[in-house]
Amino acid sequence: MNTPGTALRSRNPRTARTPAPAPAAAPAGRQADGMAVASFVLGLVGLLAMNLLLGPASIVLATLALRRGTTRPGRARLGLVLGVADLVVLACLVSADQTWSWSIG
């Protein structure tokens, strides 16, 4: 006899159910969208601090997001532009002050 809450099990191997495969961690589209947003944020923060690290990271994430077919291509392109702007700001700082960071005062 079955107790409530238990499923009936078939003794016939042809009708026995196999467990469904585990779902993927995240769909590729969501990962690409996350990369586009991360690229934008890193590029924006990189204009103010750590442009040596955040600029290239923004460029790489934007490129990966665009290649994976993000649903937010505008945000990925903006992250790409901000990443390049980070490196341009860094080049201007190095050529003007011979420094790798912002200096106030």
Side-chain angles (χ1 to χ4, degrees), residues 11-101:
R11 293 181 189 213
N12 186 352
R14 284 188 271 165
T15 60
R17 295 183 183 196
T18 58
R30 287 186 61 194
Q31 286 180 351
D33 290 347
M35 286 182 196
V37 172
S39 170
F40 170 72
V41 171
L42 289 178
L44 195 61
V45 173
L47 286 173
L48 302 174
M50 296 189 299
N51 35 7
L52 180 63
L53 298 174
L54 297 181
S58 177
I59 293 169
V60 168
L61 285 174
T63 304
L64 286 173
L66 289 170
R67 286 191 183 201
R68 291 186 182 182
T70 182
T71 59
R72 300 177 177 193
R75 186 147 309 157
R77 287 186 195 107
L78 188 57
L80 184 65
V81 168
L82 287 171
V84 171
D86 290 349
L87 296 179
V88 168
V89 167
L90 178 66
C92 290
L93 285 173
V94 170
S95 67
D97 296 338
Q98 286 75 35
T99 184
W100 290 92
S101 64

